[in-house]
Amino acid sequence: MGSKPAKDQTRRVEKRGDTPKAPDRAERPLYGRDEIARVLEARDRWTQDELAEALARLPRRKAAFQTDSGIPIPDVIDPAHLPEHDFLRDVGYPGAYPFTRGPQPTMYRGRLWTMRQFAGFGTPADTNKRFKYLLAHGVNGLSTAFDMPALMGYDADHPMSRGEVGKEGVAISTLEDFEVLFDGIPLGDVTTSMTINATAVIALAMYVAVAEKQGVPRARLGGTLQADMLKEYIAQKEWMIPPTPAVRIVCDMIEFCAKEMPRWNPVSISGYHIREAGATALQELAFTLADGIEYVQECVDRGMDVDAFAPRLSFFWDVHNDLFEEVAKFRAARRIWARTMKERFGAKKRESLLLRTHAQTAGVSLTAQQPYNNVVRVALQAFAAVLGGTQSLHTNSLDETYALPTEEAVTVALRTQQIIAHESGADRVVDPLAGSYYVEYLTDEMERRAIEYLRRIDDMGGMLRAVEEGYPQREIAESAYRWQRDVESNERLVVGVNAFQAREEQQIPLLRIDETVAREQVERLKAVKGRRSAARVAETLAAVERAAREGTNVVPPVIEAVKAYATLGEIADTFRKVHGTYREDGRF
């Protein structure tokens, strides 16, 4: 991919804002001093009597208990563990600052979360068929996966694309592919999420161009672009140019959408991939918020009013198996973000303070062994996301450790959400675990420990500098190592893997991508190149190169380039020509 360029020596490394502070919990304690003393006295008696007697009969299974993030769990949690916890300041009411209990006053009593299912495989026509299948079965938001060549900025006919076309997502090379992908789907009436990062600006441009061909103006388009490049360098490792210009393009999209696409979320700040790479829930929380803070700071530094763009920032979280810690993670995230936007960036609009989020069950938790166990894992994780107050949810399919999901498997995953929504009762009450001593203790601990990470990152000069120095990458690598070590030593049991193994593995049907997909895609690309105006393509690509060199917003010229049927690879090559390629060094 080429050598790693020298770091931008002009970039400031000083702290650019105040780290959010953990609240001063001495202001209005929930419990008075006398009440706390009474609780502590009762706890001491219980410890010496009931607990001691129980432990004499049956010792603890472990010397100490902790969450998956390493937060210690006492024998019992009571009001004395929250001596300075203030209900109105720290918990409050749904839809009210600091939004611990949710961004909306009614939450699911007013509207259920958006139910999304990932779709994307083979040709654009294949994925279009899956889109329509999902819409017919109750999905109310499309979620699009792209194949590896599209994610890395290569066309289907590039040598780097061999063996990968259409395998991990839909194959996309030109605007014509987008036209087929969304054929018969009214883009003014659905919301679409697109999981694409390095080439996100090209996908955004193609979506805008297709909508305009349908007669849908930009201002009516609703949906989300992932476009989170910082987490790519931290975790997912799909990039085409170095971090600094990549972040600049993300901010170009934020700026463009704030002006032209008010219903569109230009970036989904993604903890999901950070968690999938081996981070704990705490690290996912801290590093994801740090990424979001970096994007806000970059936009403010270029002169943008925070209230002009912050309301359309969105977040994307993983949901793992430790149910209570996951619920606490969502609650702490909303609280930290609201206080950061208000206190650090001076946001005035209520919408600027809201952490709006999509969630997805943990792909990394799924096992190839006993795959039907994955249905249970997904149900547990989806329930945690709902209890935590997500606004949008994707549930993984039981077969995703083997292949892209079959229609049958994806239907079970969707039905899991529908059963939670309509049969569990979780939709009838807002933030049902609020007031639980354990959940409030975990929420406070997650907040406190995440802020410690944020302070460290601020001391380094911000998240972009921390990524360039490899700090979050090292932290995640160490966490992933500890997890794997615990599994291999049987300190951590994974059902079907190192405990309760089956003699014979269950056989499940799999979706297989035919090799003809690549040939069809290459032939279609060749036909498009034969029909388009080469002069117009050259003219629009030159405009993209000028914008990239001069530092002006690249979104408008990229839209013109895709309308001229310049390919995804040609536009990506233009960025590589200006900014160079990137190779991560080995600092672990």
Side-chain angles (χ1 to χ4, degrees):
M1 293 178 64
S3 61
K4 180 177 179 181
K7 289 179 183 172
D8 181 356
Q9 298 300 318
T10 65
R11 179 168 175 77
R12 298 195 304 274
V13 297
E14 73 272 11
K15 291 173 65 174
R16 295 183 294 159
D18 294 328
T19 303
K21 297 178 181 177
D24 179 359
R25 300 196 185 277
E27 294 173 4
R28 294 175 55 200
L30 182 60
Y31 298 97
R33 185 174 301 172
D34 292 343
E35 176 67 11
I36 292 297
R38 241 171 27 92
V39 169
L40 286 172
E41 183 180 347
R43 188 204 297 171
D44 287 342
R45 286 197 305 270
W46 173 84
T47 301
Q48 294 168 14
D49 298 338
E50 286 87 352
L51 179 61
E53 182 182 339
L55 291 176
R57 292 195 312 270
L58 185 66
R60 297 179 184 89
R61 292 185 295 109
K62 298 179 180 179
F65 288 82
Q66 60 184 22
T67 69
D68 284 349
S69 292
I71 297 173
I73 304 173
D75 286 314
V76 68
I77 299 178
D78 55 34
H81 287 93
L82 309 167
E84 295 163 353
H85 198 86
D86 183 279
F87 174 80
L88 293 179
R89 182 195 62 216
D90 301 324
V91 183
Y93 290 93
Y97 184 82
F99 308 103
T100 306
R101 302 189 65 183
Q104 303 301 332
T106 57
M107 292 300 287
Y108 309 137
R109 289 163 69 101
R111 185 176 69 182
L112 290 174
W113 62 92
T114 300
M115 298 183 193
R116 296 189 186 276
Q117 289 304 127
F118 221 21
F121 65 93
T123 66
D126 293 330
T127 298
N128 177 266
K129 182 180 177 182
R130 177 65 67 88
F131 279 163
K132 291 173 179 175
Y133 173 88
L134 291 170
L135 289 169
H137 282 75
V139 159
N140 47 21
L142 300 177
S143 187
T144 313
F146 297 87
D147 70 2
M148 189 58 68
L151 296 176
M152 300 298 290
Y154 298 110
D155 293 330
D157 60 356
H158 194 282
M160 291 287 286
S161 301
R162 288 175 186 163
E164 293 290 343
V165 176
K167 291 294 179 68
E168 296 181 14
V170 62
I172 294 294
S173 296
T174 71
L175 177 59
E176 183 174 284
D177 293 324
F178 256 67
E179 292 165 355
V180 174
L181 181 63
F182 293 104
D183 180 53
I185 297 174
L187 298 187
D189 300 331
V190 300
T191 61
T192 302
S193 173
M194 293 191 284
T195 304
I196 191 167
N197 295 278
T199 52
V201 66
I202 304 169
L204 176 65
M206 289 183 177
Y207 196 82
V208 168
V210 169
E212 290 179 353
K213 282 177 174 284
Q214 290 187 3
V216 180
R218 300 170 184 178
R220 274 190 61 199
L221 293 177
T224 301
L225 199 64
Q226 192 164 107
D228 179 2
M229 283 311 300
L230 282 171
K231 69 97 170 86
E232 289 298 322
Y233 300 101
I234 294 171
Q236 190 159 247
K237 313 299 184 182
E238 293 167 3
W239 53 63
M240 62 177 181
I241 57 177
T244 296
V247 168
R248 189 158 59 238
I249 292 174
V250 174
C251 294
D252 285 350
M253 289 185 282
I254 294 172
E255 184 178 42
F256 176 85
C257 291
K259 296 175 181 177
E260 303 275 345
M261 302 172 69
R263 296 183 59 228
W264 190 268
N265 303 319
V267 60
S268 178
I269 304 157
S270 303
Y272 187 85
H273 307 91
I274 291 172
R275 188 68 176 281
E276 294 288 289
T280 65
L282 173 62
Q283 290 170 333
E284 177 196 2
L285 171 64
F287 296 154
T288 305
L289 293 177
D291 287 349
I293 290 169
E294 185 72 24
Y295 293 130
V296 173
Q297 187 70 61
E298 291 284 339
C299 288
V300 168
D301 285 351
R302 66 166 63 185
M304 295 175 63
D305 177 2
V306 68
D307 286 314
F309 66 88
R312 298 314 303 182
L313 300 179
S314 66
F315 286 79
F316 174 23
W317 304 99
D318 200 304
V319 197
H320 218 286
N321 291 330
D322 190 338
L323 184 144
F324 296 103
E325 185 173 65
E326 294 301 319
V327 172
K329 179 182 73 182
F330 282 96
R331 300 173 86 250
R334 286 191 291 266
R335 194 154 78 196
I336 296 171
W337 186 251
R339 286 170 171 160
T340 300
M341 295 304 293
K342 181 178 181 179
E343 296 169 13
R344 173 169 176 165
F345 294 108
K348 302 292 191 298
K349 286 185 180 179
R350 174 186 179 277
E351 292 78 9
S352 299
L353 310 180
L354 299 180
L355 186 144
R356 297 172 304 108
T357 189
H358 170 66
Q360 181 174 336
T361 58
V364 74
S365 74
L366 304 183
T367 63
Q369 300 91 332
Q370 302 177 27
Y372 287 105
N373 292 347
N374 295 331
V375 177
V376 182
R377 292 185 177 100
V378 167
L380 175 71
Q381 295 160 7
F383 196 54
V386 170
L387 294 177
T390 190
Q391 284 79 70
S392 173
L393 179 61
H394 164 88
T395 35
N396 290 329
S397 299
L398 67 94
D399 53 359
E400 289 192 54
T401 53
Y402 290 96
L404 294 170
T406 62
E407 287 187 351
E408 293 78 10
V410 82
T411 301
V412 171
L414 174 60
R415 294 291 181 256
T416 301
Q417 293 200 50
Q418 292 165 336
I419 289 169
I420 292 172
H422 301 293
E423 299 183 26
S424 74
D427 64 313
R428 302 169 199 170
V429 61
V430 181
D431 192 21
L433 296 183
S436 155
Y437 300 133
Y438 182 45
V439 170
E440 298 298 353
Y441 164 78
L442 286 182
T443 303
D444 289 352
E445 283 295 304
M446 293 286 277
E447 178 187 32
R448 181 180 66 79
R449 292 164 187 250
I451 286 174
E452 289 176 3
Y453 266 120
L454 292 175
R455 280 208 186 95
R456 257 174 265 156
I457 291 166
D458 266 349
D459 288 343
M460 294 177 189
M463 193 55 160
L464 183 50
R465 179 62 72 185
V467 168
E468 291 172 339
E469 295 296 328
Y471 170 66
Q473 297 94 310
R474 288 193 301 274
E475 289 286 304
I476 293 169
E478 290 170 6
S479 171
Y481 168 75
R482 286 192 299 270
W483 180 283
Q484 187 61 30
R485 181 194 60 197
D486 289 348
V487 171
E488 291 179 2
S489 67
N490 288 335
E491 285 293 314
R492 183 183 299 277
L493 298 185
V494 181
V495 174
V497 176
N498 63 350
F500 313 108
Q501 294 100 327
R503 290 184 179 179
E504 296 182 8
E505 289 301 326
Q506 297 157 313
Q507 300 298 311
I508 58 174
L510 299 178
L511 176 67
R512 303 189 186 278
I513 308 300
D514 195 280
E515 293 301 326
T516 60
V517 166
R519 292 197 295 273
E520 291 175 10
Q521 186 69 9
V522 170
E523 288 169 4
R524 186 163 49 251
L525 175 58
K526 183 178 179 181
V528 170
K529 287 181 176 179
R531 292 194 305 268
R532 69 187 186 177
S533 165
R536 178 61 180 152
V537 169
E539 177 186 347
T540 57
L541 289 177
V544 172
E545 182 177 344
R546 262 194 317 276
R549 290 192 186 281
E550 295 171 1
T552 57
N553 197 302
V554 299
V555 179
V558 172
I559 292 175
E560 293 307 310
V562 302
K563 286 181 178 179
Y565 291 87
T567 72
L568 178 144
E570 289 168 340
I571 299 170
D573 282 343
T574 302
F575 287 122
R576 283 188 277 254
K577 176 182 177 183
V578 174
H579 299 299
T581 54
Y582 179 77
R583 176 178 294 159
E584 186 176 50
D585 59 18
R587 297 191 191 203
F588 300 115

